[in-house]
Short mmCIF file of all heavy atoms in Angstrom, two decimals:
data_model
loop_
_atom_site.label_atom_id
_atom_site.label_comp_id
_atom_site.label_asym_id
_atom_site.label_seq_id
_atom_site.Cartn_x
_atom_site.Cartn_y
_atom_site.Cartn_z
N ILE A 192 -3.86 -10.87 5.15
CA ILE A 192 -3.41 -10.17 6.35
C ILE A 192 -4.73 -9.62 6.93
O ILE A 192 -5.38 -8.77 6.43
CB ILE A 192 -2.38 -9.08 6.10
CG1 ILE A 192 -1.06 -9.73 5.64
CG2 ILE A 192 -2.12 -8.20 7.27
CD1 ILE A 192 -0.07 -8.66 5.20
N ILE A 193 -4.97 -9.94 8.18
CA ILE A 193 -6.23 -9.51 8.91
C ILE A 193 -5.77 -8.32 9.83
O ILE A 193 -6.60 -7.39 9.98
CB ILE A 193 -6.80 -10.57 9.77
CG1 ILE A 193 -7.10 -11.85 8.92
CG2 ILE A 193 -8.05 -10.14 10.58
CD1 ILE A 193 -8.16 -11.46 7.83
N ALA A 194 -4.63 -8.40 10.43
CA ALA A 194 -4.29 -7.33 11.38
C ALA A 194 -2.79 -7.15 11.36
O ALA A 194 -1.99 -8.06 11.07
CB ALA A 194 -4.74 -7.67 12.84
N THR A 195 -2.34 -5.98 11.68
CA THR A 195 -0.91 -5.61 11.76
C THR A 195 -0.61 -5.06 13.20
O THR A 195 -1.54 -4.51 13.88
CB THR A 195 -0.46 -4.65 10.77
OG1 THR A 195 -1.14 -3.41 10.92
CG2 THR A 195 -0.67 -5.25 9.35
N GLY A 196 0.62 -5.07 13.61
CA GLY A 196 1.03 -4.52 14.89
C GLY A 196 2.48 -4.21 14.89
O GLY A 196 3.29 -4.67 14.07
N ALA A 197 2.91 -3.42 15.87
CA ALA A 197 4.30 -3.03 16.04
C ALA A 197 4.58 -2.58 17.39
O ALA A 197 3.71 -1.96 18.04
CB ALA A 197 4.69 -1.90 15.06
N GLN A 247 -0.74 -7.12 20.57
CA GLN A 247 -1.44 -6.26 19.69
C GLN A 247 -2.23 -7.04 18.61
O GLN A 247 -3.38 -6.70 18.34
CB GLN A 247 -0.55 -5.24 19.05
CG GLN A 247 0.00 -4.08 19.95
CD GLN A 247 0.91 -3.17 19.14
OE1 GLN A 247 0.60 -2.94 17.94
NE2 GLN A 247 1.85 -2.65 19.75
N LYS A 251 -6.16 -6.67 17.96
CA LYS A 251 -6.71 -6.05 16.75
C LYS A 251 -7.53 -7.09 15.94
O LYS A 251 -8.49 -6.67 15.34
CB LYS A 251 -5.54 -5.50 16.00
CG LYS A 251 -4.89 -4.31 16.59
CD LYS A 251 -3.77 -3.80 15.77
CE LYS A 251 -3.13 -2.57 16.28
NZ LYS A 251 -1.95 -2.04 15.47
N PHE A 301 11.15 -10.99 7.52
CA PHE A 301 9.60 -11.05 7.62
C PHE A 301 9.10 -11.54 6.34
O PHE A 301 8.02 -12.31 6.30
CB PHE A 301 9.20 -9.53 7.78
CG PHE A 301 7.66 -9.54 7.97
CD1 PHE A 301 6.91 -9.95 9.00
CD2 PHE A 301 6.81 -8.96 6.86
CE1 PHE A 301 5.61 -9.88 9.02
CE2 PHE A 301 5.52 -8.87 6.90
CZ PHE A 301 4.80 -9.26 7.97
N GLY A 348 7.67 -5.76 14.44
CA GLY A 348 6.41 -5.58 13.78
C GLY A 348 5.90 -6.98 13.23
O GLY A 348 6.72 -7.86 13.25
N GLY A 349 4.61 -6.98 12.98
CA GLY A 349 4.09 -8.36 12.61
C GLY A 349 2.71 -8.23 12.01
O GLY A 349 2.09 -7.21 11.89
N LEU A 432 -0.67 -0.48 -8.24
CA LEU A 432 -0.21 -0.54 -6.92
C LEU A 432 -0.53 0.68 -6.13
O LEU A 432 -0.40 1.85 -6.62
CB LEU A 432 1.39 -0.70 -6.82
CG LEU A 432 2.00 -1.90 -7.57
CD1 LEU A 432 3.53 -1.85 -7.38
CD2 LEU A 432 1.45 -3.24 -6.80
N LYS A 433 -1.07 0.51 -4.93
CA LYS A 433 -1.39 1.66 -4.14
C LYS A 433 -0.13 2.17 -3.42
O LYS A 433 0.18 3.35 -3.39
CB LYS A 433 -2.42 1.28 -3.03
CG LYS A 433 -2.89 2.40 -2.20
CD LYS A 433 -3.66 3.46 -2.84
CE LYS A 433 -4.14 4.47 -1.90
NZ LYS A 433 -5.24 3.98 -1.02
N TYR A 434 0.62 1.19 -2.86
CA TYR A 434 1.85 1.49 -2.17
C TYR A 434 3.02 0.38 -2.32
O TYR A 434 2.57 -0.82 -2.57
CB TYR A 434 1.68 1.77 -0.71
CG TYR A 434 1.12 3.07 -0.28
CD1 TYR A 434 -0.16 3.22 0.02
CD2 TYR A 434 2.01 4.22 -0.38
CE1 TYR A 434 -0.67 4.45 0.37
CE2 TYR A 434 1.45 5.42 -0.01
CZ TYR A 434 0.15 5.64 0.35
OH TYR A 434 -0.42 6.78 0.69
N ILE A 435 4.14 0.75 -2.26
CA ILE A 435 5.26 -0.23 -2.18
C ILE A 435 5.92 0.03 -0.82
O ILE A 435 6.22 1.13 -0.43
CB ILE A 435 6.35 -0.05 -3.26
CG1 ILE A 435 5.70 -0.31 -4.63
CG2 ILE A 435 7.47 -0.88 -3.03
CD1 ILE A 435 6.66 -0.05 -5.84
N VAL A 436 6.04 -1.03 -0.04
CA VAL A 436 6.64 -0.97 1.28
C VAL A 436 7.99 -1.60 1.18
O VAL A 436 8.06 -2.88 1.30
CB VAL A 436 5.74 -1.65 2.38
CG1 VAL A 436 6.42 -1.48 3.82
CG2 VAL A 436 4.37 -0.98 2.36
N PRO A 437 9.06 -0.87 1.08
CA PRO A 437 10.37 -1.42 1.01
C PRO A 437 11.05 -1.57 2.36
O PRO A 437 10.63 -0.97 3.33
CB PRO A 437 11.15 -0.34 0.10
CG PRO A 437 10.50 0.96 0.64
CD PRO A 437 9.06 0.61 0.91
N HIS A 438 12.03 -2.47 2.36
CA HIS A 438 12.90 -2.47 3.55
C HIS A 438 13.50 -1.16 3.84
O HIS A 438 13.91 -0.40 2.93
CB HIS A 438 14.06 -3.47 3.34
CG HIS A 438 15.12 -3.49 4.32
ND1 HIS A 438 14.89 -3.38 5.69
CD2 HIS A 438 16.47 -3.57 4.20
CE1 HIS A 438 16.03 -3.39 6.33
NE2 HIS A 438 17.00 -3.45 5.47
N GLN A 439 13.46 -0.67 5.05
CA GLN A 439 13.83 0.65 5.41
C GLN A 439 15.32 0.74 5.77
O GLN A 439 15.81 0.92 6.92
CB GLN A 439 12.96 1.11 6.63
CG GLN A 439 11.49 0.95 6.42
CD GLN A 439 10.84 1.89 5.40
OE1 GLN A 439 11.13 3.08 5.47
NE2 GLN A 439 10.12 1.37 4.41
N PHE A 456 8.16 8.04 -6.82
CA PHE A 456 8.75 7.92 -5.53
C PHE A 456 7.72 7.95 -4.39
O PHE A 456 7.99 7.37 -3.37
CB PHE A 456 9.81 9.07 -5.36
CG PHE A 456 10.66 8.88 -4.11
CD1 PHE A 456 11.60 7.83 -4.00
CD2 PHE A 456 10.68 9.83 -3.11
CE1 PHE A 456 12.37 7.74 -2.85
CE2 PHE A 456 11.43 9.79 -2.07
CZ PHE A 456 12.29 8.71 -1.91
N ASP A 457 6.70 8.69 -4.62
CA ASP A 457 5.71 8.91 -3.50
C ASP A 457 4.84 7.55 -3.33
O ASP A 457 4.03 7.50 -2.32
CB ASP A 457 4.81 10.05 -3.69
CG ASP A 457 4.02 10.10 -4.94
OD1 ASP A 457 4.01 8.98 -5.69
OD2 ASP A 457 3.43 11.10 -5.27
N LYS A 458 5.05 6.57 -4.14
CA LYS A 458 4.33 5.30 -3.98
C LYS A 458 5.14 4.42 -2.94
O LYS A 458 4.56 3.36 -2.43
CB LYS A 458 4.21 4.63 -5.31
CG LYS A 458 2.95 4.89 -6.08
CD LYS A 458 2.58 3.95 -7.17
CE LYS A 458 1.27 4.26 -7.74
NZ LYS A 458 0.86 3.24 -8.72
N PHE A 459 6.36 4.82 -2.65
CA PHE A 459 7.17 4.03 -1.74
C PHE A 459 6.98 4.61 -0.37
O PHE A 459 7.36 5.72 -0.08
CB PHE A 459 8.73 4.07 -2.17
CG PHE A 459 8.96 3.39 -3.44
CD1 PHE A 459 8.82 4.00 -4.64
CD2 PHE A 459 9.57 2.14 -3.45
CE1 PHE A 459 9.08 3.32 -5.84
CE2 PHE A 459 9.88 1.45 -4.57
CZ PHE A 459 9.66 2.10 -5.82
N TYR A 460 6.44 3.86 0.47
CA TYR A 460 6.28 4.30 1.86
C TYR A 460 7.32 4.08 2.68
O TYR A 460 7.84 3.03 2.83
CB TYR A 460 4.99 3.54 2.57
CG TYR A 460 4.60 4.19 3.91
CD1 TYR A 460 3.86 5.35 3.90
CD2 TYR A 460 5.08 3.61 5.00
CE1 TYR A 460 3.61 5.91 5.15
CE2 TYR A 460 4.87 4.22 6.27
CZ TYR A 460 4.08 5.41 6.29
OH TYR A 460 3.77 5.94 7.53
N MET A 461 7.90 5.16 3.32
CA MET A 461 9.15 5.11 4.03
C MET A 461 9.02 5.74 5.50
O MET A 461 8.37 6.79 5.59
CB MET A 461 10.26 5.79 3.35
CG MET A 461 10.61 5.03 1.96
SD MET A 461 12.16 5.66 1.21
CE MET A 461 11.61 7.31 0.84
N ASN A 462 9.63 5.21 6.44
CA ASN A 462 9.67 5.82 7.77
C ASN A 462 11.03 5.63 8.40
O ASN A 462 11.23 5.73 9.58
CB ASN A 462 8.59 5.21 8.76
CG ASN A 462 8.74 3.74 9.02
OD1 ASN A 462 9.70 3.04 8.50
ND2 ASN A 462 7.78 3.19 9.60
N MET A 463 12.03 5.35 7.61
CA MET A 463 13.40 5.09 8.08
C MET A 463 13.93 6.38 8.69
O MET A 463 14.84 6.30 9.59
CB MET A 463 14.29 4.75 6.90
CG MET A 463 14.51 5.80 5.85
SD MET A 463 15.37 5.19 4.43
CE MET A 463 14.12 4.14 3.64
N ASP A 464 13.45 7.58 8.37
CA ASP A 464 13.89 8.78 9.03
C ASP A 464 13.60 8.73 10.52
O ASP A 464 14.40 9.38 11.31
CB ASP A 464 13.14 10.03 8.44
CG ASP A 464 11.67 9.99 8.53
OD1 ASP A 464 11.07 8.88 8.30
OD2 ASP A 464 11.02 11.04 8.86
N ARG A 465 12.68 7.98 10.97
CA ARG A 465 12.34 7.92 12.38
C ARG A 465 12.63 6.63 13.11
O ARG A 465 12.71 6.60 14.27
CB ARG A 465 10.74 8.17 12.56
CG ARG A 465 10.39 9.65 12.32
CD ARG A 465 8.92 9.83 12.26
NE ARG A 465 8.28 9.28 11.09
CZ ARG A 465 7.40 8.24 11.16
NH1 ARG A 465 7.09 7.68 12.29
NH2 ARG A 465 6.88 7.76 10.01
N PHE A 466 12.89 5.59 12.37
CA PHE A 466 13.20 4.28 12.92
C PHE A 466 14.54 3.63 12.44
O PHE A 466 14.94 2.60 13.15
CB PHE A 466 12.01 3.30 12.62
CG PHE A 466 10.68 3.72 13.24
CD1 PHE A 466 9.79 4.34 12.39
CD2 PHE A 466 10.45 3.43 14.55
CE1 PHE A 466 8.54 4.75 12.98
CE2 PHE A 466 9.24 3.80 15.09
CZ PHE A 466 8.31 4.45 14.32
N ALA A 472 12.31 -6.34 11.11
CA ALA A 472 11.12 -5.65 11.64
C ALA A 472 10.75 -4.45 10.74
O ALA A 472 9.65 -3.91 10.91
CB ALA A 472 11.46 -5.10 13.13
N SER A 473 11.59 -4.06 9.78
CA SER A 473 11.36 -2.76 9.11
C SER A 473 10.13 -2.84 8.20
O SER A 473 9.34 -1.88 8.27
CB SER A 473 12.58 -2.42 8.31
OG SER A 473 12.67 -3.10 7.07
N VAL A 474 9.93 -3.84 7.39
CA VAL A 474 8.79 -3.87 6.59
C VAL A 474 7.50 -4.02 7.38
O VAL A 474 6.55 -3.19 7.07
CB VAL A 474 8.92 -5.10 5.53
CG1 VAL A 474 7.57 -5.35 4.86
CG2 VAL A 474 10.03 -4.83 4.51
N PRO A 475 7.31 -4.93 8.44
CA PRO A 475 6.16 -4.86 9.14
C PRO A 475 5.85 -3.69 10.00
O PRO A 475 4.72 -3.20 10.12
CB PRO A 475 6.26 -6.20 10.01
CG PRO A 475 7.66 -6.46 10.11
CD PRO A 475 8.29 -5.96 8.85
N ILE A 476 6.92 -2.98 10.47
CA ILE A 476 6.74 -1.70 11.21
C ILE A 476 6.13 -0.70 10.21
O ILE A 476 5.12 0.05 10.57
CB ILE A 476 8.03 -1.23 11.86
CG1 ILE A 476 8.40 -2.03 13.04
CG2 ILE A 476 7.89 0.28 12.29
CD1 ILE A 476 9.70 -1.67 13.56
N ALA A 477 6.66 -0.55 9.08
CA ALA A 477 6.21 0.40 8.11
C ALA A 477 4.83 0.02 7.64
O ALA A 477 3.91 0.94 7.39
CB ALA A 477 7.13 0.45 6.86
N LEU A 478 4.59 -1.33 7.35
CA LEU A 478 3.21 -1.71 6.91
C LEU A 478 2.12 -1.47 8.04
O LEU A 478 1.00 -0.93 7.66
CB LEU A 478 3.21 -3.19 6.60
CG LEU A 478 1.86 -3.90 6.18
CD1 LEU A 478 1.40 -3.24 4.87
CD2 LEU A 478 1.97 -5.36 6.06
N ASN A 479 2.54 -1.63 9.24
CA ASN A 479 1.58 -1.35 10.37
C ASN A 479 1.27 0.19 10.44
O ASN A 479 0.09 0.62 10.59
CB ASN A 479 2.23 -1.78 11.68
CG ASN A 479 1.28 -1.45 12.80
OD1 ASN A 479 0.21 -1.85 13.03
ND2 ASN A 479 1.72 -0.58 13.73
N GLU A 480 2.26 0.98 10.23
CA GLU A 480 2.07 2.47 10.21
C GLU A 480 1.16 2.81 9.08
O GLU A 480 0.18 3.71 9.32
CB GLU A 480 3.39 3.16 10.22
CG GLU A 480 3.37 4.72 10.46
CD GLU A 480 4.70 5.28 10.56
OE1 GLU A 480 5.34 5.62 9.49
OE2 GLU A 480 5.23 5.48 11.68
N LEU A 481 1.40 2.30 7.97
CA LEU A 481 0.57 2.59 6.81
C LEU A 481 -0.78 2.23 7.02
O LEU A 481 -1.86 2.97 6.80
CB LEU A 481 1.08 1.84 5.55
CG LEU A 481 0.67 2.14 4.14
CD1 LEU A 481 1.07 3.54 3.73
CD2 LEU A 481 1.18 1.05 3.07
N ASN A 482 -1.10 1.09 7.68
CA ASN A 482 -2.41 0.58 8.00
C ASN A 482 -3.03 1.42 9.08
O ASN A 482 -4.28 1.87 9.00
CB ASN A 482 -2.24 -0.88 8.48
CG ASN A 482 -3.62 -1.52 8.77
OD1 ASN A 482 -4.65 -1.15 8.14
ND2 ASN A 482 -3.65 -2.56 9.51
N GLU A 483 -2.32 1.81 10.12
CA GLU A 483 -2.91 2.59 11.21
C GLU A 483 -3.22 3.99 10.81
O GLU A 483 -4.20 4.67 11.39
CB GLU A 483 -1.91 2.66 12.46
CG GLU A 483 -1.80 1.31 13.11
CD GLU A 483 -1.15 1.47 14.52
OE1 GLU A 483 -0.32 2.39 14.64
OE2 GLU A 483 -1.38 0.59 15.42
N LYS A 484 -2.53 4.54 9.84
CA LYS A 484 -2.84 5.82 9.26
C LYS A 484 -4.11 5.84 8.37
O LYS A 484 -4.54 6.92 7.87
CB LYS A 484 -1.68 6.40 8.51
CG LYS A 484 -0.61 6.90 9.44
CD LYS A 484 0.61 7.47 8.60
CE LYS A 484 1.72 8.08 9.54
NZ LYS A 484 2.78 8.68 8.69
N GLY A 485 -4.55 4.72 8.09
CA GLY A 485 -5.71 4.51 7.19
C GLY A 485 -5.43 4.90 5.68
O GLY A 485 -6.37 5.25 5.03
N LEU A 486 -4.18 4.66 5.31
CA LEU A 486 -3.79 4.99 3.93
C LEU A 486 -4.05 3.83 2.96
O LEU A 486 -3.87 4.06 1.80
CB LEU A 486 -2.29 5.36 3.92
CG LEU A 486 -1.86 6.61 4.72
CD1 LEU A 486 -0.41 6.75 4.77
CD2 LEU A 486 -2.62 7.80 4.20
N ILE A 487 -4.37 2.64 3.53
CA ILE A 487 -4.75 1.59 2.67
C ILE A 487 -6.11 1.01 2.99
O ILE A 487 -6.58 1.04 4.16
CB ILE A 487 -3.71 0.44 2.71
CG1 ILE A 487 -3.37 0.06 4.12
CG2 ILE A 487 -2.44 0.81 1.94
CD1 ILE A 487 -2.35 -1.03 4.32
N GLU A 488 -6.82 0.55 1.99
CA GLU A 488 -8.20 -0.04 2.14
C GLU A 488 -8.25 -1.41 1.49
O GLU A 488 -7.41 -1.78 0.70
CB GLU A 488 -9.24 0.91 1.48
CG GLU A 488 -9.21 2.34 2.02
CD GLU A 488 -10.20 3.16 1.20
OE1 GLU A 488 -10.64 2.77 0.15
OE2 GLU A 488 -10.48 4.32 1.70
N ARG A 489 -9.25 -2.16 1.96
CA ARG A 489 -9.39 -3.55 1.43
C ARG A 489 -9.61 -3.45 -0.06
O ARG A 489 -10.34 -2.62 -0.55
CB ARG A 489 -10.61 -4.16 2.11
CG ARG A 489 -10.37 -4.56 3.46
CD ARG A 489 -9.22 -5.54 3.65
NE ARG A 489 -8.97 -5.91 5.05
CZ ARG A 489 -7.92 -6.52 5.47
NH1 ARG A 489 -6.96 -6.87 4.56
NH2 ARG A 489 -7.73 -6.75 6.74
N ASP A 491 -6.92 -2.76 -2.03
CA ASP A 491 -5.76 -2.21 -2.56
C ASP A 491 -4.59 -3.18 -2.88
O ASP A 491 -4.55 -4.12 -2.02
CB ASP A 491 -5.20 -1.15 -1.61
CG ASP A 491 -6.12 0.20 -1.54
OD1 ASP A 491 -6.90 0.39 -2.46
OD2 ASP A 491 -5.93 0.94 -0.52
N LYS A 492 -3.89 -2.97 -3.86
CA LYS A 492 -2.75 -3.78 -4.14
C LYS A 492 -1.41 -3.11 -3.54
O LYS A 492 -1.12 -2.03 -3.81
CB LYS A 492 -2.48 -4.02 -5.58
CG LYS A 492 -3.57 -4.97 -6.25
CD LYS A 492 -3.32 -5.20 -7.68
CE LYS A 492 -4.27 -6.30 -8.29
NZ LYS A 492 -5.67 -5.82 -8.14
N ILE A 493 -0.80 -3.94 -2.67
CA ILE A 493 0.35 -3.49 -1.96
C ILE A 493 1.52 -4.44 -2.30
O ILE A 493 1.40 -5.64 -2.33
CB ILE A 493 0.14 -3.49 -0.44
CG1 ILE A 493 -1.12 -2.85 0.02
CG2 ILE A 493 1.28 -2.88 0.38
CD1 ILE A 493 -1.25 -1.42 -0.37
N LEU A 494 2.70 -3.86 -2.48
CA LEU A 494 3.89 -4.62 -2.80
C LEU A 494 4.91 -4.46 -1.54
O LEU A 494 5.20 -3.38 -1.22
CB LEU A 494 4.56 -4.18 -3.98
CG LEU A 494 5.72 -5.13 -4.56
CD1 LEU A 494 4.99 -6.23 -5.33
CD2 LEU A 494 6.66 -4.38 -5.49
N LEU A 495 5.30 -5.67 -1.00
CA LEU A 495 6.27 -5.64 0.12
C LEU A 495 7.61 -6.21 -0.55
O LEU A 495 7.56 -7.11 -1.23
CB LEU A 495 5.84 -6.45 1.27
CG LEU A 495 4.43 -6.37 1.81
CD1 LEU A 495 4.15 -7.38 2.82
CD2 LEU A 495 4.10 -5.03 2.17
N THR A 496 8.69 -5.52 -0.15
CA THR A 496 9.91 -5.99 -0.70
C THR A 496 11.09 -5.74 0.26
O THR A 496 11.14 -4.67 0.90
CB THR A 496 10.30 -5.33 -2.08
OG1 THR A 496 11.47 -5.96 -2.64
CG2 THR A 496 10.46 -3.85 -1.91
N MET A 507 6.62 -9.52 -2.32
CA MET A 507 5.40 -10.18 -2.19
C MET A 507 4.39 -9.13 -2.66
O MET A 507 4.28 -8.00 -2.17
CB MET A 507 5.16 -10.59 -0.86
CG MET A 507 4.02 -11.52 -0.58
SD MET A 507 4.04 -12.19 1.12
CE MET A 507 5.29 -13.42 0.94
N ILE A 509 0.41 -8.19 -2.63
CA ILE A 509 -0.78 -8.59 -1.79
C ILE A 509 -1.95 -7.72 -2.20
O ILE A 509 -1.82 -6.51 -2.41
CB ILE A 509 -0.37 -8.27 -0.25
CG1 ILE A 509 0.77 -9.29 0.21
CG2 ILE A 509 -1.65 -8.47 0.55
CD1 ILE A 509 1.15 -8.96 1.56
N THR A 510 -3.08 -8.35 -2.27
CA THR A 510 -4.42 -7.63 -2.30
C THR A 510 -4.83 -7.40 -0.85
O THR A 510 -5.12 -8.41 -0.21
CB THR A 510 -5.44 -8.30 -3.14
OG1 THR A 510 -4.87 -8.47 -4.43
CG2 THR A 510 -6.64 -7.53 -3.23
N TRP A 511 -4.89 -6.20 -0.46
CA TRP A 511 -5.20 -5.96 0.99
C TRP A 511 -6.70 -6.22 1.23
O TRP A 511 -7.01 -6.78 2.28
CB TRP A 511 -4.92 -4.47 1.25
CG TRP A 511 -4.95 -4.08 2.68
CD1 TRP A 511 -5.92 -3.54 3.38
CD2 TRP A 511 -3.99 -4.42 3.68
NE1 TRP A 511 -5.69 -3.39 4.75
CE2 TRP A 511 -4.47 -4.03 4.92
CE3 TRP A 511 -2.83 -5.08 3.69
CZ2 TRP A 511 -3.72 -4.15 6.16
CZ3 TRP A 511 -2.07 -5.23 4.85
CH2 TRP A 511 -2.47 -4.76 6.04
#
Side-chain angles (χ1 to χ4, degrees):
I192 295 177
I193 303 299
T195 61
Q247 284 184 33
K251 291 180 178 180
F301 180 75
L432 299 176
K433 182 69 175 290
Y434 281 103
I435 297 174
V436 182
H438 169 45
Q439 308 291 308
F456 188 65
D457 59 9
K458 275 198 175 185
F459 292 81
Y460 186 80
M461 297 190 295
N462 61 6
M463 67 190 72
D464 60 317
R465 290 172 288 114
F466 296 100
S473 81
V474 169
I476 287 175
L478 180 63
N479 178 65
E480 190 171 83
L481 193 65
N482 188 23
E483 288 194 334
K484 286 182 176 181
L486 297 176
I487 47 180
E488 300 176 347
R489 289 302 177 191
D491 287 342
K492 287 183 173 61
I493 311 296
L494 192 80
L495 313 178
T496 186
M507 190 170 284
I509 294 173
T510 299
W511 191 256

